[in-house]
Amino acid sequence: MTQKITTFLWFDNQAEEAAAFYTSLFADSRIVRVQRDGEAGAAMMVEFELAGQRLLALNGGPHFTFNEAVSLYVNCETQEEVDELWARLTADGGEESQCGWLKDRWGLSWQIVPSRLPELISDPDPGRAERAMKAMLGMRKIDIRVLEEAAAAG
């Protein structure tokens, strides 16, 4: 079945390198197709899948750059998954931000979020939810243990 909506990413000239890196991060990921410039042989468009989700990357030149208005949200089941993705995506020039956000070396924004976070900040007990939210607002990389301790501290 064809995916109706596909995320399209504009790179200067690093689309193939970025797609190869991204597909190394997640299971069920692969490069689907690379469309090359017939004369130079350089990649023009890279079609790839991340965890089964189809994306397109274009080498479109330096005219546009990424900003935080668009990000890729990654739902993580464990702290180990959060830690590994955080380390790999911030390596080689990536930047940490607040509340689970980061930018990778190409400037693409990611949200690395443990599935426990939305559970804690939507807790039916407003005090627990507020304490978890306050703890999260002080974090860069999300730490599940610290969130749980904050929520329970009432």
Side-chain angles (χ1 to χ4, degrees), residues 23-38:
T23 57
S24 76
L25 296 174
F26 302 97
D28 192 23
S29 298
R30 66 190 178 104
I31 303 287
V32 175
R33 176 181 16 248
V34 179
Q35 179 185 346
R36 298 194 179 278
D37 178 314

Side-chain angles (χ1 to χ4, degrees), residues 3 13 19 26 31 46 67 77 89 102-103 107-109 145 152:
Q3 182 174 299
N13 62 2
F26 302 97
I31 303 287
V46 181
N67 67 48
E77 292 303 317
L89 286 164
L102 62 83
K103 284 186 181 181
L108 181 61
S109 292
R145 182 188 54 78

Side-chain angles (χ1 to χ4, degrees), residues 1 5 11 16 28 32 52 56 61-63 80 93 104 110 143 151:
M1 180 172 202
I5 298 172
F11 291 86
E16 190 169 20
D28 192 23
V32 175
L56 291 170
H63 313 293
E80 293 75 23
D104 67 27
W110 295 75
D143 186 316

Side-chain angles (χ1 to χ4, degrees), residues 63-130:
H63 313 293
F64 301 106
T65 58
F66 297 117
N67 67 48
E68 294 83 354
V70 174
S71 62
L72 298 181
Y73 182 103
V74 182
N75 185 38
C76 299
E77 292 303 317
T78 66
Q79 187 66 50
E80 293 75 23
E81 184 181 10
V82 169
D83 294 346
E84 179 182 349
L85 287 171
W86 192 269
R88 292 186 66 192
L89 286 164
T90 57
D92 301 320
E95 300 175 23
E96 294 186 355
S97 190
Q98 293 296 117
C99 306
W101 288 62
L102 62 83
K103 284 186 181 181
D104 67 27
R105 70 185 93 161
W106 297 284
L108 181 61
S109 292
W110 295 75
Q111 297 178 62
I112 308 302
V113 181
S115 57
R116 189 73 175 112
L117 175 62
E119 295 169 8
L120 288 166
I121 63 176
S122 62
D123 191 290
D125 177 334
R128 285 179 54 85
E130 183 178 335

